[in-house]
């Protein structure tokens, strides 16, 4: 029997139960689509979190108070920070942390900033005069606040480019903006840095820490969300990490490091945890895809088994006019393979479609990247499922005795 | 051409075992036209299925063209069915979803033929007067039309042996005449024909006739039609092939 005739026979077989076949194909379709999507998303997330961690600056060590997760998200809202201004001062003291250049605290809140009739939501941060140099922000206009303004609680603010573009026209320096109903004088604008991954580094407003506590967060206790400690060189970060840890343990009177009420992270740590996130995503991908593909495979298998018993008569006729066991096996195996490939191909198309749709609609999340590898993996899965689901029904069909099949009661 | 020696067929059911054929001995020569009659349940279909390699005897030896069929692999048996045997069953046995011509082409497909299939199928359909309906779904045909299509399929590979199991059992008298005429014509062209039937007048078209009773073979009591009469029937068919406007 020629291959072309075999394919024709398989297609004719599929045509017999189109609706049923279509329903069962959906499982494989979903499986293949999720393989494509999730490989794409994992790829994107891995890339983004790495670039975000890398954008931090390679010679920085970050200290988080207890109650703040490693990603900087406040967990226990309203609880006082375990880090104090005196801690920050100690971390900036060369006598206690010899390999540090400076230590900068930050606290922040997502808040509305308004000017004349316009309003914009941004990250409002409080910090000290060393913020710009430690975090690597240059100024395109005006200046950053100085050591005299910082502790006095002056009502001054330095804006990122995105905030200026959203709110102000003309020369921004000297204009007033309102935050939490307090007027602030714009004294400088950061030079644009663009995106780091999905994070817009130009969307922020920075003011003295005392001012933030007094005017923007008057109802909560003064708190510090993070302390950035600048090491003398990238190579010194590990050393700084242990110096910082020892200093804070001593200051907080903690003897067991496992009970520390703070966390210290280098850039290296952050990249590693980003990679861990990637690995977890990959496992989730594997589980979701496996469940979908398994469901699809079982669906196809039951469809094919039903089809074989429904078509006993047809099998008998084919056997009587000269089909061998091998011919029948091949016909049914090919039918199941076709079903799975149909599901696989539409699934891949759906996956690609959803990916491109997501990258257009969702702009502040990493958009999945469709890779050739993802498509190949999804297609390979579909083929394997098709063969695995088809082999048992096809063998049952091939084992039918021609007489049993032709005998009609 | 075909040799049966002490052939028995026993069907095992969960409760009993049924001896459908009991030590049957039979010789069928090339070019023979043999009718097998007998009451219902006497084992006629069982015998025909063994002759057609659709089933295997429980015991005894069945040789076809000198080859012991017990020694053949599935592939060899399939090839034998495909090249040397043409089946016509009582219940037509067409695949209802396929068209008439696709059904007729099926043996050529399994023979691995690629080119010229359509033409040969058309020739076969013309011989049984079914060319006009070649593109119709087989399931939509009348009984007589289905049976003629099945005959076209049986003879498309030019098999030496035609096995017909009550080919006239489910069709009207006129269609039955046509079908028997076609079989007689095949015989006159040198084919070996084995025809199973309940009906004595149907059995009469054959050159010789046997009777099965409860799985045992007996010589048939009724006398077959005299040779000139048989010849006349075949000639009548050749002179007036079934009306087919497309031919
Ligand atoms: N697959 C089977 N399993 C069990 N018993 C069977 C099987 N096939 C046939 N038989 C039995 O074998 C006996 C012979 O059956 P067979 O079909 O050969 O009879 P037949 O002569 O063709 O009858 P009919 O004229 O009604 O077609 C019957 O008793 C039947 O019930
Ligand atoms: Mg019968």
């Amino acid at each position: 029997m020629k291959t072309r005739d075999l394919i024709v026979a398989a297609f004719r077989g599929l045509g017999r139960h189109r609706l049923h076949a279509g329903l069962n194909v959906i499982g494989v379709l979903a499986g293949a689509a999720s393989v494509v999507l999730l490989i794409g998303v994992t790829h994107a997330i891995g890339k983004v979190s790495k670039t975000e961690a890398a954008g931090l600056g390679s010679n920085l060590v970050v200290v988080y108070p207890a109650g703040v997760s490693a990603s900087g998200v406040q967990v226990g809202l309203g609880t006082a920070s375990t880090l104090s201004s005196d801690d920050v001062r100690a971390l900036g003291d060369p006598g206690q942390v010899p390999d540090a250049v400076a230590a900068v605290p930050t606290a922040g809140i997502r808040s509305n900033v308004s000017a004349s009739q316009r309003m914009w939501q941004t990250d409002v941060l409080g910090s000290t005069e060393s913020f710009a140099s430690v975090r690597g922000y240059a100024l395109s206009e005006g200046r950053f606040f100085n050591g005299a303004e910082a502790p006095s609680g002056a009502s001054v603010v330095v804006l990122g480019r995105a905030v200026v573009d959203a709110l102000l026209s003309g020369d921004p320096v000297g204009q007033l903006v309102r935050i939490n109903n307090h007027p602030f004088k714009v004294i400088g604008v950061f030079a644009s840095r663009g995106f780091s991954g999905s994070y817009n580094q130009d969307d922020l407003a920075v003011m003295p820490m005392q001012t933030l506590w007094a005017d923007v967060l008057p109802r909560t206790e003064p708190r510090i969300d993070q302390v950035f400690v600048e090491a003398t060189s990238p190579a010194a970060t590990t050393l700084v990490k242990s110096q910082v840890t020892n200093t804070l343990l001593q200051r907080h009177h903690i003897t067991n490091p496992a009970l520390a009420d703070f966390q210290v992270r280098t850039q290296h740590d952050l990249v590693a945890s980003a990679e861990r996130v990637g690995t977890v995503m990959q496992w989730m991908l594997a589980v979701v895809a496996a469940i979908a593909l398994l469901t699809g495979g079982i669906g196809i298998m039951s469809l094919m088994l039903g089809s074989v018993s429904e078509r006993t008569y047809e099998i008998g006729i084919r056997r009587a006019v000269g089909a061998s066991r091998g011919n029948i096996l091949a016909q049914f195996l090919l039918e199941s393979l076709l079903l799975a490939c149909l599901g696989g191909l539409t699934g891949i198309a759906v996956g690609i479609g959803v990916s491109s749709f997501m990258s257009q609609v969702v702009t502040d999340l990493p958009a999945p990247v469709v890779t050739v590898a993802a498509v190949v993996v999804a297609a390979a899965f579909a083929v394997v499922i098709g063969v695995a689901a088809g082999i048992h029904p096809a063998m049952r069909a091939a084992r039918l005795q021609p007489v049993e099949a032709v005998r009609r009661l | 051409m075909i040799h049966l020696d002490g052939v028995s067929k026993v069907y095992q059911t969960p409760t009993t075992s049924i001896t459908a054929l009991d030590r049957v001995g039979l010789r069928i020569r090339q070019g023979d036209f043999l009718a097998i009659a007998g009451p219902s349940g006497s084992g006629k279909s069982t015998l025909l299925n063994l002759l057609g390699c659709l089933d295997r005897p429980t015991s005894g030896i069945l040789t076809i063209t000198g080859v012991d069929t017990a020694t053949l692999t599935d592939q060899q048996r399939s090839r034998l069915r495909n090249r040397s045997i043409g089946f016509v069953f009582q219940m037509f046995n067409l695949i209802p979803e396929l068209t008439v011509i696709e059904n007729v082409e099926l043996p050529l497909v399994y023979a691995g033929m690629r080119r010229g299939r359509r033409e040969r199928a058309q020739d076969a359909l013309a011989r049984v007067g079914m060319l006009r309906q070649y593109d119709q779904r087989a399931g939509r045909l009348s009984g007589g039309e289905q049976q003629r299509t099945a005959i076209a399929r049986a003879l498309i590979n030019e098999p030496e042996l035609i096995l017909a199991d009550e080919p006239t059992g489910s069709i009207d008298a006129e269609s039955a005449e046509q079908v028997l005429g076609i079989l007689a014509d095949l015989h006159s062209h040198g084919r070996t024909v084995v025809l199973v039937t309940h009906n004595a007048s149907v059995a009469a078209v054959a050159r010789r006739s046997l009777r099965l009773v409860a799985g045992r073979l007996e010589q048939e009591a009724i006398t077959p039609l005299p040779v000139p009469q048989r010849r006349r029937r075949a000639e009548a068919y050749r002179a007036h092939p079934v009306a087919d406007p497309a031919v």
Side-chain angles (χ1 to χ4, degrees):
Chain A
M1 191 181 191
K2 294 279 179 283
T3 316
R4 210 184 63 100
D5 293 319
L6 206 58
I7 294 170
V8 169
F11 264 112
R12 298 298 291 251
L14 281 188
R16 285 173 52 111
H17 37 97
R18 238 166 272 143
L19 176 70
H20 204 153
L23 287 177
N24 280 285
V25 151
I26 290 174
V28 179
L29 188 155
S34 55
V35 167
V36 170
L37 262 182
L38 286 165
I39 290 182
V41 169
T42 315
H43 207 79
I45 286 185
K47 229 156 95 181
V48 166
S49 35
K50 271 186 212 168
T51 50
E52 268 174 7
L56 181 65
S58 56
N59 56 349
L60 285 189
V61 173
V62 192
V63 188
Y64 302 97
V68 173
S69 78
S71 58
V73 178
Q74 179 104 31
V75 179
L77 213 80
T79 54
S81 167
T82 56
L83 295 174
S84 67
S85 299
D86 286 342
D87 287 335
V88 177
R89 226 166 281 126
L91 296 181
D93 177 3
Q96 302 190 54
V97 185
D99 290 284
V101 177
V104 173
T106 64
I109 186 168
R110 193 101 189 130
S111 171
N112 283 329
V113 183
S114 58
S116 51
Q117 296 303 313
R118 286 186 251 184
M119 182 116 93
W120 180 254
Q121 197 179 57
T122 189
D123 287 335
V124 177
L125 297 182
S127 191
T128 61
E129 67 275 12
S130 309
F131 176 86
S133 70
V134 170
R135 296 301 318 273
Y137 275 97
L139 280 105
S140 61
E141 289 164 63
R143 61 179 179 83
F144 200 72
F145 53 84
N146 56 37
E149 288 159 317
S152 70
S155 293
V156 293
V157 70
V158 179
L159 300 179
R161 191 77 248 169
V163 183
V164 172
D165 289 346
L167 293 178
L168 304 173
S169 43
D171 183 7
V173 176
Q175 296 197 41
L176 287 182
V177 295
R178 296 187 77 83
I179 301 171
N180 195 29
N181 274 326
H182 287 270
F184 292 84
K185 189 169 134 195
V186 179
I187 58 167
V189 177
F190 291 122
S192 181
R193 279 169 64 156
F195 281 79
S196 165
S198 61
Y199 176 66
N200 184 354
Q201 301 181 94
D202 296 327
D203 192 6
L204 81 172
V206 185
M207 63 179 65
M209 188 63 102
Q210 304 298 333
T211 316
L212 182 89
W213 285 340
D215 296 343
V216 182
L217 302 170
R219 266 184 285 271
T220 54
E221 268 189 76
R223 64 154 211 265
I224 291 171
D225 294 340
Q226 285 169 312
V227 180
F228 295 93
V229 182
E230 184 183 353
T232 50
S233 72
T237 51
T238 322
L239 200 58
V240 169
K241 181 180 176 180
S242 68
Q243 290 166 357
V244 164
T245 306
N246 290 336
T247 305
L248 289 177
L249 286 175
Q250 210 165 13
R251 288 183 55 81
H252 295 182
H253 309 292
I254 298 168
T255 46
N256 181 358
L259 299 177
D261 55 358
F262 58 88
Q263 296 169 33
V264 188
R265 296 265 183 277
T266 64
Q267 186 206 30
H268 186 262
D269 297 333
L270 294 175
V271 171
S273 76
E275 277 166 358
R276 262 198 303 283
V277 170
T279 316
V280 170
M281 286 292 300
Q282 260 142 13
W283 275 106
M284 275 168 51
L285 135 81
V287 170
V288 169
I291 291 173
L293 288 172
L294 196 69
T295 320
I298 291 172
I300 289 184
M301 173 134 93
S302 75
L303 173 75
M304 292 305 297
L305 280 175
S307 170
V308 169
S309 54
E310 219 174 85
R311 287 154 72 190
T312 311
Y313 176 61
E314 174 192 329
I315 295 165
I317 296 170
R318 289 182 183 272
R319 293 280 275 146
V321 301
S324 64
R325 277 184 211 283
N327 291 146
I328 300 294
L329 185 86
Q331 181 187 336
F332 280 86
L333 205 54
L334 200 66
E335 227 177 280
S336 147
L337 194 62
L338 273 176
L339 264 177
C341 286
L342 220 69
L345 286 183
T346 18
I348 289 170
V350 167
I352 292 174
V354 171
S355 295
S356 69
F357 179 75
M358 271 170 74
S359 61
Q360 277 167 23
V361 173
V362 189
T363 45
D364 54 350
L365 273 175
V369 188
V370 176
T371 57
V372 176
V375 170
V376 170
V377 168
F381 266 118
V383 169
V384 170
I385 286 294
V387 173
I391 191 84
H392 173 57
M395 276 169 63
R396 179 176 284 193
R399 265 201 302 268
L400 277 174
Q401 290 299 325
V403 251
E404 281 174 50
V406 174
R407 177 172 273 277
R408 243 192 169 180
L409 300 177
Chain B
M1 181 187 191
I2 299 177
H3 251 115
L4 279 84
D5 225 338
V7 168
S8 296
K9 179 71 189 179
V10 181
Y11 291 110
Q12 293 292 345
T13 65
T15 47
T16 54
S17 59
I18 299 164
T19 306
L21 287 179
D22 187 9
R23 288 160 292 163
V24 171
L26 176 63
R27 257 157 212 270
I28 303 170
R29 277 178 302 277
Q30 177 117 31
D32 211 344
F33 190 166
L34 174 68
I36 299 174
S40 185
S42 57
K44 305 184 295 294
S45 298
T46 303
L47 176 60
L48 209 67
N49 290 339
L50 292 181
L51 295 180
C53 288
L54 288 173
D55 207 352
R56 293 166 187 268
T58 311
S59 62
I61 296 169
L62 166 63
T63 51
I64 297 178
T65 57
V67 183
D68 181 357
T69 54
T71 64
L72 298 178
T73 65
D74 174 71
Q75 203 149 20
Q76 289 167 325
R77 292 162 68 87
S78 302
R79 197 183 153 83
L80 192 67
R81 285 197 295 270
N82 183 241
R83 306 291 164 93
S84 309
I85 302 172
F87 288 98
V88 184
F89 299 94
Q90 178 177 4
M91 294 307 291
F92 324 125
N93 284 43
L94 301 176
I95 299 178
E97 291 81 18
L98 299 185
T99 64
V100 166
I101 198 154
E102 282 169 337
N103 267 287
V104 173
E105 274 182 63
L106 222 45
L108 299 179
V109 167
Y110 288 109
M113 184 176 174
R114 183 116 127 233
R115 248 171 269 279
R117 263 179 1 205
R118 266 292 121 121
E119 294 69 34
R120 263 181 70 180
Q122 280 167 353
D123 284 350
L125 281 173
R127 278 167 78 179
V128 299
M130 280 298 296
L131 190 53
R132 200 167 49 91
Q133 281 141 297
Y134 79 100
D135 211 14
Q136 202 161 332
R137 291 281 199 91
R140 297 237 184 88
L141 298 177
S142 77
E145 289 165 344
Q146 289 196 36
Q147 200 56 294
R148 283 188 279 146
T149 304
I151 292 174
R153 186 185 63 194
L155 49 86
I156 192 161
N157 257 343
E158 305 282 335
E160 286 167 41
L161 178 62
I162 308 279
L163 301 176
D165 192 351
E166 304 203 28
T168 58
S170 307
I171 53 182
D172 64 273
E174 201 180 328
S175 302
E177 271 302 299
Q178 288 178 358
V179 165
L180 291 174
I182 296 168
L183 291 179
D185 183 48
L186 285 169
H187 170 240
S188 70
H189 280 81
R191 297 288 142 73
T192 312
V193 180
V194 180
L195 170 67
V196 160
T197 180
H198 283 294
N199 189 316
S201 75
V202 170
V205 290
R207 196 161 70 183
R208 68 182 175 122
S209 150
L210 298 169
R211 192 175 163 79
L212 263 177
V213 176
R216 309 215 56 158
L217 207 52
E218 297 175 353
Q219 203 66 42
E220 173 60 35
I222 63 154
T223 44
L225 284 183
V227 175
Q229 208 170 326
R230 270 202 334 266
R231 196 169 294 147
R232 228 176 299 132
R233 210 195 263 245
E235 275 161 5
Y237 168 70
R238 265 198 307 278
H240 309 284
V242 186
D244 191 340
V247 185

